[in-house]
Amino acid sequence: MFEQEGALGKGITVGKIQVALDALNRGPDSIFAVLEKESARNAGSDDPSELAQLAHAVCLALLRRSDEWAGACSDSQWFKWDDAGKAESLYNDWSNREAAKFEKEYSGGDADDAPGGPTTVVVSIILEIQGDTTKFDGAGFSIAGTQEVLSSVASDVNVGGGECLNAVEVFWTPGDREEVLTKQDLIMDFPEL
């Protein structure tokens, strides 16, 4: 049988990219400010164009901070159109697993880590997108590979005014500006990074 092909190729891809950054401040130009602004702008929306804007803005914010990257990883799985339910199930599974990690509170642990001071930040983008052309391989192996994955996601989510994007979740930790995520916390909770 022939597989249905859309603007981004055949089938459905569920993908995840995570980037850890060393954030030196939490001011209005920090990654925290961008994430808070974009999530507030798109809170509760299920409009494809608004979800695409959210994913695009977060990818661009991460790309602009490549000098702050401390680690990255990505994963994806492709499904035939007939397996759309399996794709949605995997998307929900990955979202729930990440949500469980990101709900954790961090205090800092070391005396040198003042609350609200410099911290490691982990940003995760999980998405379900139509087609098989969005690149997810290579994040974490090199700066160029991570940039390629973020660029691919940023451009593909806007195809068709966002109509190719079925779903997206953006998570980041620490969520509270007073919390500090240490390198040890990163190793324990995000070993893949």
Side-chain angles (χ1 to χ4, degrees), residues 4-154:
Q4 180 179 347
E5 187 163 351
L8 292 173
K10 298 177 180 179
I12 299 169
T13 302
V14 177
K16 170 174 70 171
I17 180 166
Q18 293 181 292
V19 179
L21 304 94
D22 290 325
L24 299 178
N25 72 69
R26 302 180 191 213
D29 295 330
S30 71
I31 190 68
F32 286 100
V34 172
L35 293 167
E36 289 168 354
K37 179 180 114 182
E38 292 302 326
S39 67
R41 178 184 297 167
N42 297 293
S45 177
D46 59 358
D47 180 322
S49 66
E50 290 179 13
L51 293 176
Q53 289 173 7
L54 169 66
H56 182 261
V58 172
C59 287
L60 285 182
L62 292 170
L63 282 165
R64 290 179 179 136
R65 288 168 175 78
S66 63
D67 58 329
E68 299 173 15
W69 292 351
C73 68
S74 58
D75 194 7
S76 67
Q77 191 168 337
W78 179 83
F79 297 88
K80 297 186 301 185
W81 279 108
D82 293 348
D83 293 331
K86 291 179 183 176
E88 185 175 355
S89 178
L90 179 64
Y91 169 82
N92 291 335
D93 182 48
W94 282 1
S95 294
N96 290 335
R97 287 178 192 217
E98 292 310 312
K101 289 183 199 175
F102 284 84
E103 301 274 329
K104 184 175 179 179
E105 292 184 21
Y106 296 95
S107 61
D110 297 330
D112 295 339
D113 295 322
T119 185
T120 300
V121 181
V122 177
V123 180
S124 285
I125 304 167
I126 301 170
L127 56 103
E128 180 183 320
I129 191 164
Q130 297 171 17
D132 57 1
T133 60
T134 305
K135 180 163 179 49
F136 286 98
D137 297 333
F141 294 108
S142 67
I143 290 174
T146 304
Q147 289 170 332
E148 189 175 354
V149 172
L150 286 168
S151 295
S152 178
V153 171

